[in-house]
Amino acid sequence: MTEVGAPRYTALLLFLLVSTTASFEPTADCAVDLDGLPPANPHTGSAADTGSVNGWRLTSAEHQHLDAGTLCNIERISLTEWRDRYMVGGETIEPAAPVVILMPQGRQAAFHKICARDELLRRFGGKIVTLSSANSHSYDKIKVPFDHYVNTMIDPVGTNAVAKETYYLFGDNDYDDWSNFTEHYERPDWIYSMREPFFSFGLGGCASGVPFHTHGAVFAEVIYGRKRWFATSPNDRPTFSPDNTSLLWVTEVLPTLRDAGEMLDCTLGPGMVLYLPTQWWHATLNLGDTVFMSTFI
């Protein structure tokens, strides 16, 4: 693990994003009506199979046009450049704008293995997760077993999906049971001596995502799949509805904004880490089943 004068993580923010949000709790502490579990998302689109990697499906055929490929208007630099530019004299200089860091090949090999679909289900399939609606404010919540979530609730999202009726997983509880899991993650290079970071693990089905919102500074890394990011500066609020899905925004609103403002647009794949400064507006769109980790600093 990369160590840069950093204390050990003591908190974990778990983020499982897929047409869904949730916090993990021991099964014994949750009363779940297994007969009344929600079925596969009623708003999903076609699940046409275009292949898979370690059990996680690649972008569905009907959503391949949403992948911008290698096009990216966010600055991309090597890990060496990141260290030379932003980690100077024992301090981290916070970038003023988003930066994509291109990581060395194989850096997350151990974590990549653990995050294979069958391995995650073996370790955590019986855990109960609390899912929250996938709109900008995430108010509604339901509880389901993790394996039900993975097996039936992450089919590709269709354009008729309603954000407040689809769900993703996140939480800010005590996740001691996941400590061995996160210890295998190579956290981003940052001098963590001044503040304690939070891990946020995520899993998103094809065309799932979160509409525009803001929060503190974060590193975002894709382990499997691809994730398309859209971002604007804190003073440049984008045009969006907090109750429309990211897919609907990309399909209907984004084409009208191509010549307006300073919209950043970049698709991350494995080996790429996005640094997003505090309070930058951003929305995400998952391309294929997307497994990712965010580190809030």
Side-chain angles (χ1 to χ4, degrees), residues 222-233:
V222 170
I223 308 301
Y224 286 99
R226 291 166 64 78
K227 180 185 289 287
R228 192 170 174 184
W229 285 77
F230 306 93
T232 62
S233 67

Side-chain angles (χ1 to χ4, degrees), residues 21-23 129-133 137-144 164 167-168 170-172:
T21 302
S23 53
V129 295
T130 302
L131 310 176
S132 302
S133 55
H137 306 297
S138 299
Y139 291 125
D140 298 330
K141 300 182 184 299
I142 59 175
K143 294 183 178 182
V144 301
K164 66 180 180 180
Y167 296 86
Y168 69 98
F170 79 94
D172 57 355

Side-chain angles (χ1 to χ4, degrees), residues 96-136:
V99 177
V100 172
I101 310 167
L102 306 178
M103 295 297 185
Q105 185 175 2
R107 174 174 166 273
Q108 297 292 3
F111 196 65
H112 187 269
K113 182 177 180 180
I114 291 171
C115 288
R117 186 178 186 275
D118 288 348
E119 183 64 12
L120 280 181
L121 288 174
R122 183 185 71 81
R123 291 176 177 234
F124 310 117
K127 295 287 186 179
I128 298 300
V129 295
T130 302
L131 310 176
S132 302
S133 55
N135 51 351
S136 292

Side-chain angles (χ1 to χ4, degrees), residues 172-184:
D172 57 355
N173 296 322
D174 183 3
Y175 298 112
D176 288 341
D177 288 346
W178 290 72
S179 59
N180 291 335
F181 173 68
T182 58
E183 284 175 0
H184 294 282

Side-chain angles (χ1 to χ4, degrees), residues 51-67:
S52 63
V53 176
N54 283 352
W56 300 117
R57 295 165 296 184
L58 302 177
T59 307
S60 61
E62 71 169 295
H63 292 117
Q64 287 180 351
H65 68 285
L66 299 172
D67 193 330

Side-chain angles (χ1 to χ4, degrees), residues 18-226:
V18 89
S19 252
T20 336
T21 302
S23 53
F24 282 77
E25 301 173 291
T27 305
D29 294 342
C30 300
V32 179
D33 180 7
L34 295 179
D35 294 327
L37 290 175
N41 193 320
H43 303 291
T44 56
S46 170
D49 187 11
T50 56
S52 63
V53 176
N54 283 352
W56 300 117
R57 295 165 296 184
L58 302 177
T59 307
S60 61
E62 71 169 295
H63 292 117
Q64 287 180 351
H65 68 285
L66 299 172
D67 193 330
T70 59
L71 296 178
C72 178
N73 59 1
I74 298 177
E75 182 182 21
R76 289 178 286 189
I77 63 177
S78 69
L79 179 58
T80 298
E81 290 176 289
W82 168 266
R83 290 169 175 167
D84 290 344
R85 188 185 304 181
Y86 297 111
M87 304 181 68
V88 180
E91 296 182 358
T92 301
I93 302 172
E94 299 189 29
V99 177
V100 172
I101 310 167
L102 306 178
M103 295 297 185
Q105 185 175 2
R107 174 174 166 273
Q108 297 292 3
F111 196 65
H112 187 269
K113 182 177 180 180
I114 291 171
C115 288
R117 186 178 186 275
D118 288 348
E119 183 64 12
L120 280 181
L121 288 174
R122 183 185 71 81
R123 291 176 177 234
F124 310 117
K127 295 287 186 179
I128 298 300
V129 295
T130 302
L131 310 176
S132 302
S133 55
N135 51 351
S136 292
H137 306 297
S138 299
Y139 291 125
D140 298 330
K141 300 182 184 299
I142 59 175
K143 294 183 178 182
V144 301
F146 177 62
D147 53 4
H148 176 84
Y149 174 81
V150 171
N151 290 329
T152 70
M153 299 183 70
I154 63 172
D155 282 340
V157 174
T159 54
N160 63 333
V162 179
K164 66 180 180 180
E165 296 176 1
T166 55
Y167 296 86
Y168 69 98
L169 175 68
F170 79 94
D172 57 355
N173 296 322
D174 183 3
Y175 298 112
D176 288 341
D177 288 346
W178 290 72
S179 59
N180 291 335
F181 173 68
T182 58
E183 284 175 0
H184 294 282
Y185 176 68
E186 293 283 348
R187 61 188 179 187
D189 283 37
W190 185 268
I191 297 174
Y192 295 96
S193 58
M194 297 303 295
R195 49 190 166 183
E196 190 68 16
F198 293 88
F199 278 140
S200 169
F201 175 74
L203 164 62
C206 190
S208 65
V210 180
F212 280 97
H213 60 288
T214 64
H215 50 59
V218 65
F219 287 100
E221 180 169 8
V222 170
I223 308 301
Y224 286 99
R226 291 166 64 78

